[in-house]
């Protein structure tokens, strides 16, 4: 079956890691027509907007996109393209699987958890204003609708993926109304999933527990800001940002992207680790029903890690992005799993 997928190379290291990933995916033999589109500063130059209608329309039509990182300058005058994209497509669930990889040093080689982050509200609405000079108010919005929807997604994800427990992470002891509502919605939804254990942790304790005893966690569900921070912490547990994939899921579309950003410090050097975006691509393949191709590419990638000979610099190796991708393609060819 032929698939049409929107491809957004992104900024910084984006085009390098996307190119490597597309080569690996194509080597599996999956029939994909990529429709390349742009966002952010590039789009601002070309179309006068960072979120061009043509890009949004392409994703709406294809229902699936693979996206490289987009930079968001800190300070005034440039709102986050990532937040804008998630809002315009109502990509309400951000899913970040965190699994230890063979051969990559990790304090807990059995680590295997999933962070489910609410993507549409919380402090990320960017509702800030100056109350009086020297005093700024930033408004946190938490709604019953979004909290229920993300809890429902987390439990459904747990059931569909053979997971046993969902933990809500919050600070309801201090933010009694907002985080209290999130927690209340979580336990209301939990009642409908008696086969899945439900518990909760206060965010600060959760961070400590993730570092000390991460094996106690299975699926975590969090508001937007906590989810952003905790998923980076979890990426650190398995060897860094270059290894953590992600998916932004909505009712109408899904956008797959790495947890990391555009890494301007190493952009253009051909040394970035494409693993996170590749694994996002594998989540995408499974999302469109191409399980076999995803499994073959994943097996080859895991074999390259287990050998530990061709690793990028962030993992202590010397391989360039392309060399790492070539090693995976070679592994697929050697096992007869590649079409290339
Ligand atoms: P970053 O994730 O781009 O980089 C943090 C550190 O991790 C850097 O030292 C970088 O070299 C390293 N790193 C990240 N990905 C890597 C990879 N694949 N291989 C090897 N090393 C890697 O975070 P930073 O510097 O805070 O953000 C840079 C830009 O990216 C900002 O404009 C930010 O807004 C944007 N960003 C975009 C995201 C997205 O598009 N989803 C997510 C996070 C940040």
């Amino acid at each position: 079956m032929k698939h049409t997928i929107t491809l957004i190379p992104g900024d910084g290291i984006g085009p390098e890691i996307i190119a490597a990933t597309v080569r690996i995916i194509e080597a599996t033999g999956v029939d994909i027509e990529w429709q390349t589109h742009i966002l952010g500063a590039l789009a601002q130059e070309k179309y006068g907007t960072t979120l061009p209608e043509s890009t949004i329309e392409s994703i709406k039509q294809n229902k699936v996109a693979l996206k490289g990182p987009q930079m968001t300058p800190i300070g005034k005058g440039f709102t986050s393209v990532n937040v804008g994209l998630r809002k315009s497509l109502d990509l309400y669930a951000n899913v970040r699987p965190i699994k230890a990889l063979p051969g990559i040093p990790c304090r807990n080689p059995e680590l295997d958890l999933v962070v489910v982050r609410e993507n549409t509200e919380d402090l990320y609405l960017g509702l800030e204003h100056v109350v009086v000079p020297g005093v700024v108010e930033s408004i946190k919005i938490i709604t019953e609708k979004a909290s229920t929807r993300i809890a429902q997604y987390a439990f459904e994800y747990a059931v569909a993926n053979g997971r046993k427990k969902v933990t809500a992470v919050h600070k309801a002891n201090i933010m009694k109304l907002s985080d209290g509502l999130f927690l209340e919605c979580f336990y209301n939804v939990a009642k409908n999933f008696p086969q899945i254990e439900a518990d909760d942790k206060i965010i600060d304790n959760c961070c400590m527990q993730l570092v000390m005893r991460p094996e106690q966690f299975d699926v975590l569900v969090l508001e937007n800001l906590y989810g952003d921070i905790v998923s980076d912490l979890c990426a650190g547990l398995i060897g860094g940002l270059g290894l953590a994939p992600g998916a932004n899921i909505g009712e109408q579309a899904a956008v797959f992207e790495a947890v990391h950003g555009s890494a301007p410090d190493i952009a253009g050097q051909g040394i970035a680790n494409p693993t996170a975006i590749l694994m996002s691509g594998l989540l995408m393949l499974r999302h469109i029903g191409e399980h076999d191709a995803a499994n073959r590419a994943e097996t080859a990638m895991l074999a390259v890690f287990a050998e530990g000979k061709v690793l990028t610099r962030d993992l202590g190796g010397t391989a360039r992005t392309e060399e790492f991708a070539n090693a995976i393609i070679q592994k697929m060819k050697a096992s007869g799993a590649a079409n290339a």
Side-chain angles (χ1 to χ4, degrees), residues 142-218:
I142 298 296
T143 65
E144 183 180 346
K145 183 176 168 217
S147 302
T148 302
R149 182 164 73 160
I150 197 67
Q152 182 76 23
Y153 182 88
F155 281 97
E156 282 175 5
Y157 180 95
V159 172
N161 292 278
R163 301 271 171 177
K164 305 266 178 298
K165 181 166 89 165
V166 181
T167 304
V169 184
H170 62 90
K171 190 80 184 172
N173 53 329
I174 303 295
M175 277 162 276
K176 293 178 191 295
L177 289 182
S178 53
D179 286 16
L181 176 61
F182 181 81
L183 197 55
E184 187 187 323
C185 295
F186 170 79
Y187 278 115
N188 281 340
V189 171
K191 287 181 202 149
N192 301 324
F193 295 87
Q195 71 276 42
I196 303 289
E197 187 187 340
D199 71 355
D200 67 273
K201 285 254 178 313
I202 292 176
I203 176 80
D204 36 352
N205 177 31
C206 177
C207 289
M208 193 268 289
Q209 299 281 343
L210 275 166
V211 174
M212 303 290 289
R213 266 192 342 108
E215 65 280 1
Q216 68 185 284
F217 296 104
D218 196 348

Side-chain angles (χ1 to χ4, degrees), residues 7-24 68-69 260-275 277-278 312 319-325:
L7 186 70
I8 301 167
D11 301 318
I13 60 171
E16 305 161 43
I17 56 175
I18 284 276
T21 296
V22 165
R23 281 207 305 122
I24 295 166
H260 63 73
S262 58
D265 51 339
I266 57 166
Q269 299 176 38
I271 58 169
N273 185 349
T275 303
I277 189 73
L278 169 61
T312 45
R320 300 177 59 76
T321 312
E322 282 304 300
E323 290 166 338
F324 179 73

Side-chain angles (χ1 to χ4, degrees), residues 13 17 67-74 80 82 86 96 228 232 241-243 248 257-266 271-277 312-314:
I13 60 171
I17 56 175
K67 171 186 166 294
Q70 295 289 154
M71 63 131 183
T72 305
I74 295 171
S80 166
N82 298 311
R86 290 167 197 165
R96 297 176 168 181
D228 191 10
D232 272 29
L241 278 172
L243 301 174
N248 296 292
E257 63 176 340
V259 169
H260 63 73
S262 58
D265 51 339
I266 57 166
I271 58 169
N273 185 349
T275 303
I277 189 73
T312 45
R313 288 187 198 190
D314 53 315

Side-chain angles (χ1 to χ4, degrees), residues 96-163:
R96 297 176 168 181
I98 301 286
K99 195 168 186 313
L101 290 164
I104 304 300
C106 173
R107 284 229 311 260
N108 190 324
E110 301 303 311
L111 189 64
D112 181 9
L113 57 85
V114 180
V115 177
V116 176
R117 163 186 172 194
E118 203 290 321
N119 238 354
T120 64
E121 57 181 24
D122 194 1
L123 286 158
Y124 278 67
L125 288 175
L127 297 174
E128 295 188 313
H129 63 270
V130 176
V131 181
V132 290
V135 180
V136 171
E137 186 175 29
S138 187
I139 300 172
K140 167 166 169 159
I141 303 283
I142 298 296
T143 65
E144 183 180 346
K145 183 176 168 217
S147 302
T148 302
R149 182 164 73 160
I150 197 67
Q152 182 76 23
Y153 182 88
F155 281 97
E156 282 175 5
Y157 180 95
V159 172
N161 292 278
R163 301 271 171 177

